[in-house]
Amino acid sequence: MVEARFGSSTSATPGRPPGGGGRAPPRAPGPPPGGLPADAEVLLTQRASTMRQHRGQVAFPGGAVDPGDDGPVDTALREAWEETGLDRAGVVPVTTLPELFVPPSRFDVTPVVAYWRTPSEVRVMDRGETDRVVRVPMADLLDPANRFLVRSALGYRSPAFQVDGMLVWGLTGGILAGLMTSLGWESEWDRTDVRDLEQALAAVGMVL
């Protein structure tokens, strides 16, 4: 969820393989790229290390569809409220992105992009699910010094961001990188900087 000034949350449903609260320290202001406001932020969570799937990973607020949900936008807003306590009345949905299949959990994920028109207090609501709730400045994510690629022992490669003592990678890193590119926000960064995933995680005190 990008504050004031855009964002993403996720809605997940059991899927199948395709056919084929804290605030991070602000950076010094600079010229915003592609019309992005200089004070824009994205709302991220760090999953609890005790979770069965994706433990300790950084993610957008979001989760599985409940029977009473009225589509992916409703699921995303409900999950964001449950995980971070944000007031969903202050959030304006913008669009949904195409479904993405996540092999480890076997879920189809529908990213929901929204504008956080009236930011509200956010915090960890359930320590059993979430370790951190962080509002990260987009300027930090866009800083070329914080961007690189990670590669796992199995050959999986992903865009990655090292911000506020966290490594953002995988599905979340890919969605962020895709939005930055398609919206004209990114600056040139070193795409030849490919780091071992486990070492990159260890550098910020995280594990796979």
Side-chain angles (χ1 to χ4, degrees), residues 90-184:
V91 178
V92 180
V94 175
T95 190
T96 58
L97 303 180
E99 272 189 2
L100 300 168
F101 179 71
V102 183
S105 59
R106 302 188 65 80
F107 273 88
D108 290 317
V109 173
T110 302
V112 176
V113 181
Y115 169 65
W116 201 1
R117 179 181 56 196
T118 309
S120 54
E121 179 185 357
V122 289
R123 62 194 184 280
V124 173
M125 302 296 288
D126 183 352
R127 289 286 177 187
E129 292 190 1
T130 308
D131 280 343
R132 298 182 67 192
V133 172
V134 189
R135 286 162 55 174
V136 179
M138 284 297 298
D140 289 356
L141 291 162
L142 289 164
D143 186 343
N146 296 332
R147 299 195 63 179
F148 48 93
L149 297 169
V150 290
R151 180 174 53 209
S152 74
L154 297 176
Y156 170 79
R157 289 166 63 109
S158 164
F161 306 81
Q162 185 173 313
V163 290
D164 196 36
M166 304 181 298
L167 183 71
V168 184
W169 65 285
L171 177 68
T172 306
I175 292 173
L176 283 169
L179 284 172
M180 291 173 182
T181 300
S182 63
L183 294 172

Side-chain angles (χ1 to χ4, degrees), residues 70-89:
D70 184 18
V73 172
D74 191 42
T75 296
L77 291 174
R78 175 186 54 75
E79 285 281 346
W81 169 71
E82 290 178 358
E83 292 180 8
T84 72
L86 71 78
D87 181 0
R88 59 184 291 171

